[in-house]
């Protein structure tokens, strides 16, 4: 595929995403990329096929991230972004209600006042959509900032403590009723989906700077009881303890994840005060990811886990049978999930995708058994032949089997191809089988692409995670090196035509691999990369998770040894850097300093800087330009 065409096709953001079905099942709301960084809220009338556009966001700096039906006529949407506040990158999010009959927009956050003693960073989140109520209303966890006393009052010198509370909000008139008073250091609440707050979590802090420890103390309530009962303390840093996932109203139970033999297993515990828990699911290879529901707050119908592909296990026999039928109806797009449901459950919004198909939304009428496609995620790829993705494992230098994914188009030679190593970000993340726009772009240009889930990747248990891929970067780099070796040993790749491309930690891995394995790659692409581990520790200062972040990164001589910035002279091949200047994950200074260091050493380097964009460069024009430059660099260095 010609480079210019491929860059535009794969660089374009999706036509439709984050869809939801109305309570009646007659309308679908979804977000749509409409050029550059702009995003629209569109509502589709299923019967007529007519689409109505309600509002848009510019994406610089704030973007729409979700829109869901609270009633047939009322939507709740969220937008958020990053801002540079006196040298600190600060994220923010806002919730607002849209009355589709009036096209009116109302804010759902706590209003700022002149007595506020803090920053209104986030409005909060919708906890419960109150499906049993006739009026459109929700339960919302709302962030309250501390306030000073009113002038002239007896508490003038005191402060009103802020925190996370729960309010019932009538969406017609915005009348608010306090359900749970704000808790200082409140972390999260869980409801049963029918208006009852059943679980609360409060995070533990230490010191004058209120540093997070990573530990959360959970309590729960019995049904129809206001008394809170201690449940557990979950240590998120070490993944120890009971981690609540969902409250299931029909069984009056809490589903939670807890480590079993080094991997997350799923349990269910009755919330009757007995503390009785039973194992629901475990897997000897990978973590259980969580529970499956048809729609928010509905009963739990199954659970998911991901080994070489994602699996959904349905514990509800009705949906097990339905999933089997959907699998037969959609054999070429096996990644099937329920994206929404009408309130009576007779109509379902289905999303189906695969490695070569970004996905399609379908509306299923269960009464008539009729299912119709209503919109595609990426209509510009319709009719395009994409590259298949194969799950593989390869041996590491110390004898471990490392999982990976191999993407290679079918219209080229099976051997001696130019190759790209594409390590994922995180580092505590993982790649999964499915559509990947960056890997598909590279495959469209004739490259074989390997995506290694190196040690330090999430989902494979504590032993595979190890000491994490920052503290133990040597093991991660070794596994990444062995993925390239695998391609050569199998005859798939030409050892003289290999490059490495990565984003975030993947960008770090690309640069560090060029340092530790300088003769392997002929070009490096690092998008939003970490380049200096000591600077990454410094970047965390001023935030409440600074101690956790610094511990995760590590300390001592390993910081300099593991920082490509300090070894830029070892990189002799061309480098392409790209970064958004509102990146709150990795500061743009990492790329700026790396560019300067490479130039001082005479290494060819190009730096694409994107104004007002965040870590994901969520802009079709920016991504198209980026892919064009990646393609040009690879053509010059390892192309045909």
């Amino acid at each position: 595929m010609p480079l210019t065409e491929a860059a535009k096709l794969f660089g374009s953001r999706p036509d439709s995403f984050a869809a939801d079905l109305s309570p009646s099942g007659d309308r679908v709301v979804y977000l749509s990329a409409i050029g550059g960084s702009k995003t629209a809220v569109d509502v589709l009338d299923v019967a007529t096929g007519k689409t109505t556009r309600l509002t848009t966001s510019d994406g610089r700096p704030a973007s729409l991230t979700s829109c869901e039906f609270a009633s047939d006529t009322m939507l709740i949407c969220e937008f958020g972004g990053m801002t540079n506040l006196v040298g600190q990158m600060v994220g923010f999010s806002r919730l607002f209600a849209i009355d589709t009959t009036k096209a009116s927009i109302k804010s759902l956050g706590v209003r700022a006042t002149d007595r506020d003693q803090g920053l209104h960073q986030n409005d909060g989140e919708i906890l419960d959509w109150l499906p049993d109520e006739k009026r459109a209303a929700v339960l919302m966890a709302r962030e309250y900032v501390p306030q000073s006393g009113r002038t002239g009052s007896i508490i003038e010198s005191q402060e009103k403590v802020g925190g996370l509370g729960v309010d019932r909000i009538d969406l017609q008139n915005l009348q608010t009723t306090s359900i749970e008073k704000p808790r200082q250091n409140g972390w999260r609440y869980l409801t049963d989906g029918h208006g009852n707050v059943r679980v609360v979590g409060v995070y533990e802090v230490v010191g004058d700077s209120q540093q997070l420890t990573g530990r959360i103390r959970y309590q729960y309530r019995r049904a129809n009881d206001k008394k809170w009962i201690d449940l557990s303390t979950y240590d998120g840093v070490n993944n120890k303890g009971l981690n609540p996932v969902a409250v299931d109203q029909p069984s009056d139970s809490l589903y939670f994840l807890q480590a079993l033999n080094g991997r997350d297993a799923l349990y269910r515990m009755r919330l009757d005060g007995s503390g009785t828990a039973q194992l629901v699911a475990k897997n000897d290879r990978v973590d259980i990811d969580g529970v499956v529901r048809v729609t928010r707050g509905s009963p739990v119908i199954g659970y998911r886990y991901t080994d070489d592909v994602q699996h959904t296990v349905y514990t509800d026999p009705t949906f097990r049978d339905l999933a089997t039928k959907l699998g037969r109806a959609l054999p070429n797009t096996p990644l099937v999930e329920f994206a929404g449901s009408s309130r009576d459950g007779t109509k379902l919004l289905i999303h189906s995708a695969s490695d070569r198909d970004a996905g399609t939304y379908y509306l299923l009428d269960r009464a008539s058994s009729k299912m119709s496609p209503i919109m595609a995620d990426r209509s510009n790829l319709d009719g395009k032949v994409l590259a298949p993705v194969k799950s593989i494992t390869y041996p590491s230098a110390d004898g471990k089997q490392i999982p990976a994914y191999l993407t290679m188009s079918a219209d080229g030679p099976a051997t001696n191809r130019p190759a790209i190593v594409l390590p994922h970000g995180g580092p505590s993340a993982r790649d999964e089988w499915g559509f990947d726009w960056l890997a598909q772009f590279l495959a469209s240009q004739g490259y074989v692409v390997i995506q290694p889930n190196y040690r330090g990747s999430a989902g494979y248990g504590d032993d595979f995670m190890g000491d994490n891929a920052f503290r133990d970067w040597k093991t991660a780099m070794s596994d990444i090196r062995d993925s390239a070796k695998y391609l050569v040993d199998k005859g798939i790749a030409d050892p003289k035509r290999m490059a490495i491309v990565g984003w975030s930690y993947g960008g770090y891995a690309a640069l560090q691999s060029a340092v530790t394995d300088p003769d392997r790659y002929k070009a490096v692409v690092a998008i939003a990369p970490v380049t200096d581990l000591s600077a990454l520790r410094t970047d965390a200062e001023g935030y409440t998770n600074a101690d956790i972040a610094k511990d995760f990164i590590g300390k001592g001589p390993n910081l300099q040894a593991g920082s490509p910035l300090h070894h830029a002279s070892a990189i002799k091949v061309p480098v392409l850097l790209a970064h958004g200047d509102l990146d709150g994950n990795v500061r743009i200074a990492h790329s700026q300093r790396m560019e300067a260091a490479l130039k001082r050493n005479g290494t060819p380097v190009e730096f694409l800087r994107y104004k007002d964009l965040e870590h994901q460069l969520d802009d079709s024009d920016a991504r198209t330009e980026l892919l064009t430059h990646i393609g040009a660099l690879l053509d010059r260095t390892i192309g045909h």
Side-chain angles (χ1 to χ4, degrees):
M1 186 183 297
L3 172 58
T4 302
E5 178 187 357
K8 186 172 183 179
L9 280 175
F10 294 105
S12 296
R13 297 161 59 227
D15 299 332
S16 58
F17 58 101
D20 187 42
L21 187 64
S22 67
S24 66
D26 295 335
R27 298 197 296 168
V28 176
V29 63
Y30 61 98
L31 301 184
S32 178
I34 55 173
S37 60
K38 293 182 179 179
T39 302
V41 177
D42 290 335
V43 176
L44 170 69
D45 185 299
V46 175
T48 65
K50 179 182 178 181
T51 299
T52 302
R53 181 153 293 168
L54 298 179
T55 189
T56 63
S57 65
D58 183 69
R60 294 174 179 255
S63 295
L64 285 154
T65 56
S66 69
C67 254
E68 298 178 85
F69 282 102
S71 72
D72 273 338
T73 59
M74 191 70 70
L75 297 170
I76 293 181
C77 303
E78 181 179 41
F79 75 95
M82 297 293 301
T83 185
N84 192 327
L85 189 64
V86 197
Q88 289 283 84
M89 299 300 297
V90 178
F92 64 92
S93 64
R94 299 288 181 261
L95 284 174
F96 57 94
I98 302 179
D99 186 332
T100 61
T101 64
K102 303 176 182 177
S104 63
I105 298 177
K106 301 175 182 178
S107 173
L108 297 181
V110 178
R111 291 185 178 181
T113 74
D114 57 5
R115 295 185 292 117
D116 291 344
Q117 301 295 298
L119 177 69
H120 280 269
Q121 188 171 346
N122 301 304
D123 283 348
E125 64 172 327
I126 304 302
L127 297 176
D128 199 307
W129 299 82
L130 302 178
D132 305 321
E133 298 196 15
K134 293 182 179 180
R135 290 182 66 86
V138 293
L139 292 189
M140 178 177 169
R142 299 174 95 194
E143 293 277 2
Y144 286 82
V145 300
Q147 292 185 333
S148 61
R150 295 183 182 275
T151 302
S153 74
I154 60 173
I155 58 170
E156 179 180 354
S157 62
Q158 300 176 1
E159 287 187 342
K160 180 180 177 182
V161 175
L164 187 68
V166 179
D167 295 335
R168 180 191 180 278
I169 303 176
D170 186 316
L171 298 177
Q172 299 297 328
N173 54 25
L174 296 190
Q175 181 176 338
T176 299
T177 304
S178 176
I179 303 299
E180 295 289 332
K181 293 181 180 179
R183 288 175 178 252
Q184 189 176 25
N185 303 328
W187 181 258
R188 64 190 291 226
Y189 295 89
L190 295 177
T191 78
D192 63 1
H194 294 268
N196 302 299
V197 180
R198 300 296 302 277
V199 176
V200 61
V202 176
Y203 55 82
E204 180 184 286
V205 297
V206 295
D208 294 337
S209 61
Q210 296 287 283
Q211 281 292 303
L212 300 177
T213 66
R215 291 185 291 274
I216 306 169
R217 182 172 62 88
Y218 284 102
Q219 295 178 306
Y220 76 97
R221 283 173 171 153
R222 289 190 288 259
N224 303 315
D225 192 345
K226 294 296 184 182
K227 181 182 178 182
W228 288 106
I229 302 170
D230 289 340
L231 176 62
S232 72
T233 296
Y234 174 66
D235 184 341
V237 174
N238 300 303
N239 193 28
K240 292 182 178 179
L242 182 159
N243 186 15
V245 174
V247 175
D248 183 61
Q249 193 232 24
S251 64
D252 191 28
S253 298
L254 173 70
Y255 282 84
F256 63 92
L257 296 173
Q258 191 166 26
L260 176 65
N261 299 324
R263 294 175 180 83
D264 282 351
L266 181 66
Y267 294 84
R268 182 175 60 239
M269 184 180 76
R270 292 295 303 275
L271 293 178
D272 58 3
S274 67
T276 303
Q278 65 182 94
L279 178 67
V280 176
K282 67 180 181 69
N283 188 285
D284 293 334
R285 292 179 55 199
V286 295
D287 295 336
I288 302 298
D289 296 328
V291 300
V292 175
R293 290 171 144 165
V294 179
T295 189
R296 64 250 173 162
S298 64
V300 172
I301 60 171
Y303 61 88
R304 283 199 176 100
Y305 68 92
T306 305
D307 45 28
D308 53 342
V309 297
Q310 186 184 88
H311 301 272
T312 301
V313 178
Y314 291 95
T315 54
D316 183 294
T318 299
F319 283 95
R320 186 186 308 132
D321 179 63
L322 177 57
T324 300
K325 292 177 180 178
L326 288 171
R328 289 197 293 263
L330 303 166
N332 297 321
T333 51
L335 298 177
V336 178
E337 62 180 5
F338 298 107
S341 171
S342 61
R343 188 153 293 176
D344 62 8
T346 60
K347 295 179 181 179
L348 297 176
L349 185 64
I350 309 293
H351 187 262
S352 179
S354 74
D355 56 339
R356 287 174 280 182
D357 189 327
T360 300
Y361 285 99
Y362 297 84
L363 186 64
L364 171 64
D365 188 323
R366 297 174 70 185
S368 64
S369 297
K370 181 181 178 181
M371 185 169 70
S372 304
I374 54 176
M375 56 194 178
D377 288 30
R378 292 174 176 261
S379 61
N380 65 338
L381 293 178
D382 288 350
K384 303 295 181 183
V385 178
L386 303 187
V389 180
K390 181 181 179 182
S391 173
I392 64 166
T393 61
Y394 63 89
S396 68
D398 58 356
K400 300 290 185 182
Q401 288 296 312
I402 308 300
Y405 296 97
L406 196 65
T407 304
M408 182 167 63
S409 62
D411 61 352
T415 60
N416 211 39
R417 285 198 181 197
I420 307 294
V421 176
L422 182 61
H424 64 73
S428 300
R430 60 158 293 178
D431 280 316
E432 296 184 11
W433 186 86
F435 175 83
D436 183 317
W437 61 271
L438 181 53
Q440 286 292 340
F441 164 76
L442 295 169
S444 76
Q445 300 305 289
Y447 304 108
V448 57
V449 182
I450 190 167
Q451 295 173 270
N453 279 330
Y454 48 83
R455 276 171 286 184
S457 301
Y460 298 99
D462 294 342
D463 287 345
F464 197 87
M465 175 67 71
D467 206 17
N468 86 56
F470 274 130
R471 293 168 67 113
D472 190 11
W473 59 268
K474 292 180 181 179
T475 297
M477 295 310 110
S478 179
D479 288 351
I480 292 168
R481 178 188 307 116
D482 290 333
S483 73
K485 182 177 182 297
Y486 167 86
L487 294 181
V488 173
D489 290 347
K490 291 293 184 181
I492 300 171
D494 179 348
K496 296 180 180 179
R497 294 191 296 164
M498 302 189 80
I500 186 165
V501 178
W503 202 310
S504 194
Y505 181 90
Y508 161 82
L511 292 166
Q512 187 66 358
S513 292
V515 170
T516 60
D517 199 11
D519 299 324
R520 174 73 68 181
Y521 305 108
K522 305 304 179 186
V524 175
V525 178
I527 308 163
V530 172
T531 64
D532 185 348
L533 298 184
S534 293
L536 191 64
R537 283 173 55 91
T538 301
D539 294 340
E541 293 178 357
Y543 297 93
T544 55
N545 67 340
D547 288 351
I548 295 174
K550 289 179 179 180
D551 182 67
F552 186 82
I553 298 163
K555 59 184 178 180
N558 195 51
L559 296 178
Q560 183 166 0
S563 296
L565 178 66
H566 297 298
H567 306 280
S569 60
I571 302 176
K572 301 299 183 183
V573 298
V575 175
L576 173 63
L577 300 169
H579 221 125
D581 66 2
L582 283 183
D583 192 330
N585 293 47
V586 182
R587 304 293 186 272
I588 193 173
H590 283 263
S591 286
Q592 292 171 319
R593 290 193 289 263
M594 194 72 204
E595 178 197 28
L598 291 169
K599 284 183 174 179
R600 284 196 300 270
N601 288 284
T603 301
V605 58
E606 182 181 11
F607 180 26
L608 302 176
R609 175 173 179 160
Y610 293 104
K611 181 176 174 56
D612 294 336
L613 288 184
E614 299 179 37
H615 191 63
Q616 298 300 331
L617 301 180
D618 203 10
D619 180 299
S620 296
D621 296 335
R623 288 183 177 183
T624 298
E625 180 187 54
L626 173 61
L627 294 185
T628 301
H629 282 256
I630 291 174
L633 172 63
L634 297 178
D635 279 348
R636 293 195 304 269
T637 53
I638 64 170
H640 307 288

